[in-house]
Amino acid sequence: MHAGSGLRDRLTEGHGHRSPFSFSFPFPLRYRSLAIDSALALGYAGAALLLGREQPPPGWEPLDGLGAVLTVLVGLVLLARRIAPVAAFATSSALWVVFIACGYWPVVNSMPPLLGLYTVAATRTLRTSVACAAVVTGTWVYAGLANAENSSMPTVLAQAVLFPAVVFVVGRGSGRLAERNRQFAELTFQLRRQQEENARQALTEERVRIARELHDVVAHHMSVISLQAGMASYVFPTDPEASRQALDTIAGTSREALEEMRRMLFLLRVGQEDQPEGRADPDGSEALEPGGGAYAPAPGLDLLDRLLDRVRGAGVQVTMEVVGSPARLPQGMALCVYRVIQEALTNVLKHAGPTSAAVTIRYESRTVVVTVTDEGSADEGSAAERSGAFQPKTAITAGHGLIGMRERAKIYGGSVTAGPRTPGGFEVRLVLPAPATGDRPDGRPAPGSGDARSR
């Protein structure tokens, strides 16, 4: 009889064929891993009990009631392998040793300790994993020694080393893969958050840019309206026709200001739910046409004539001269040039009043230079003040105009300088890098000088 039958008899006498353990485990279906382990434990217990019913190799006892109880207990330990890997492995290994000591065939309960070793190797440190692998190896050797007369020790030793080693290597690799996947998931989450933050920052910056656009538009139009209203009030008793022309200018300027404000404020809305009923799709082709409502193109150099006419209507005799071969400027750069000219002429209206101004756009080989100059109104202002004539605002106050011009130029690698002229008056000078050769209509670089065209 097997040497372990004495221990089995003592266990049977003390407790009959009933298990000395009482075991219960909650089964929350919401935990996927626990559901998988529960199915695995039940499947293993059923398969092990079927294997135990077969005739064991020589030297081992057939599975009886006590063996069946131990087999079920070893299987139930699998339920805790994710919650407490080391404790589950130690428990299954201890039950396996008891199972072998009772003289039962070790193969029946060999899978739970190996699966426990896999879990420990995948989730715990290298030292702990090696210790658990050594426990499996030692138990396997103990099983061979317990039935040495019917066992081949070289085969036992080979199995005792090979099986735990394979499980150990696979477990460590699985653990590294799981850790890498966790890191990738965390990195993906961080990248997604960073992208969302970048998108919010870009949206904020775009809204700030639109707000600056709105400030420039409103400042220009309101300056024209203010000047024209004052002139209309002053000349109304003596020159009704001039007063009517001023009121017409006010009406036209206010309509343009409202259109640009409506377009830019519409751009500030978020989501299609704010789109007015009956408005064309912003992504459609109609939205890209000039004058296409809320999404009409931003002003460019083609609208400078309208700007100059509006300024002339406000009482400033302004001329424009283009020197060199005109380049097709990118939309953003063209908008920058337009806004700088607009802001400079607005300052002429606000601070110089009725005077003369000149706009020069010079296309050089490497730069585009824009200058806006005015003659000033010191002498005219003093005479008008003595005669009680209408006077526009003459005190220069700090505002966002010059800052906005410099920021616009900085975006395209340019610069803006502004200051009084030596003969008198004021000058604003914008210098931008010239666009690439391919941007010119004829494909040739712009010469440093050329035909001058005046408007």
Side-chain angles (χ1 to χ4, degrees), residues 128-196:
T128 303
S129 302
V130 170
C132 292
V135 170
V136 175
T137 299
T139 304
W140 209 285
V141 172
Y142 166 71
L145 294 176
N147 192 18
E149 62 273 14
N150 296 308
S151 301
S152 172
M153 290 308 299
T155 302
V156 171
L157 291 176
Q159 293 176 345
V161 173
L162 182 62
F163 290 170
V166 170
V167 173
F168 173 83
V169 171
V170 174
R172 296 298 295 179
S174 177
R176 287 192 295 268
L177 179 60
E179 178 63 21
R180 190 177 298 113
N181 290 339
R182 186 193 64 79
Q183 294 176 356
F184 284 162
E186 182 178 356
L187 180 60
T188 301
F189 176 74
Q190 294 177 356
L191 290 176
R192 186 178 295 111
R193 291 185 58 184
Q194 185 64 35
Q195 290 175 351
E196 294 174 354

Side-chain angles (χ1 to χ4, degrees), residues 27 92 202 231 242 347:
F27 187 68
S92 62
M231 292 178 62
N347 288 336

Side-chain angles (χ1 to χ4, degrees), residues 21-330:
F21 307 98
S22 60
F23 189 89
S24 61
F25 197 91
F27 187 68
L29 296 178
R30 65 180 179 272
Y31 295 117
R32 179 182 176 184
S33 60
L34 186 57
I36 294 176
D37 288 341
S38 298
L40 183 64
L42 293 176
Y44 161 75
L49 290 176
L50 291 176
L51 180 62
R53 294 181 60 183
E54 298 182 2
Q55 183 63 32
W60 300 109
E61 297 294 331
L63 195 67
D64 54 13
L66 178 61
V69 170
L70 292 175
T71 300
V72 172
L73 290 177
V74 173
L76 291 178
V77 173
L78 294 176
L79 294 172
R81 72 182 186 92
R82 298 177 191 266
I83 302 174
V86 177
F89 169 79
T91 303
S92 62
S93 297
L95 291 173
W96 190 28
V97 171
V98 173
F99 186 81
I100 296 172
C102 291
Y104 301 116
W105 187 21
V107 175
V108 175
N109 281 325
S110 62
M111 194 194 80
L114 291 175
L115 184 56
L117 172 61
Y118 167 83
T119 306
V120 171
T123 60
R124 294 298 182 263
T125 63
L126 178 62
R127 178 179 299 180
T128 303
S129 302
V130 170
C132 292
V135 170
V136 175
T137 299
T139 304
W140 209 285
V141 172
Y142 166 71
L145 294 176
N147 192 18
E149 62 273 14
N150 296 308
S151 301
S152 172
M153 290 308 299
T155 302
V156 171
L157 291 176
Q159 293 176 345
V161 173
L162 182 62
F163 290 170
V166 170
V167 173
F168 173 83
V169 171
V170 174
R172 296 298 295 179
S174 177
R176 287 192 295 268
L177 179 60
E179 178 63 21
R180 190 177 298 113
N181 290 339
R182 186 193 64 79
Q183 294 176 356
F184 284 162
E186 182 178 356
L187 180 60
T188 301
F189 176 74
Q190 294 177 356
L191 290 176
R192 186 178 295 111
R193 291 185 58 184
Q194 185 64 35
Q195 290 175 351
E196 294 174 354
E197 181 64 26
N198 291 341
R200 285 192 295 268
Q201 183 177 358
L203 179 60
T204 301
E205 292 176 353
E206 181 65 14
R207 289 181 173 179
V208 170
R209 186 191 67 80
I210 293 175
R212 291 172 179 168
E213 294 281 345
L214 184 58
H215 166 266
D216 294 340
V217 172
V218 173
H220 171 76
H221 289 302
M222 291 301 103
S223 296
V224 173
I225 291 173
S226 175
L227 182 62
Q228 290 292 318
M231 292 178 62
S233 175
Y234 177 74
V235 303
F236 180 77
T238 58
D239 194 349
E241 184 62 27
S243 177
R244 179 171 298 159
Q245 292 178 359
L247 293 176
D248 292 339
T249 302
I250 291 175
T253 303
S254 61
R255 281 194 299 269
E256 292 182 11
L258 287 175
E259 289 176 1
E260 294 201 39
M261 289 176 64
R262 186 180 298 110
R263 174 169 64 89
M264 293 185 181
L265 290 176
F266 189 82
L267 286 174
L268 290 175
R269 295 181 180 178
V270 180
Q272 293 296 326
E273 66 276 6
D274 293 330
Q275 182 170 323
E277 184 176 353
R279 184 178 294 276
D281 184 2
D283 296 330
S285 60
E286 295 181 3
L288 301 178
E289 297 295 331
Y295 285 90
L301 300 183
D302 55 332
L303 298 181
L304 283 177
D305 289 336
R306 293 175 57 185
L307 174 64
L308 298 182
D309 291 339
R310 189 163 54 243
V311 174
R312 293 187 187 107
V316 175
Q317 298 302 318
V318 58
T319 61
M320 186 172 73
E321 182 181 17
V322 179
V323 181
S325 179
R328 186 174 63 242
L329 300 180

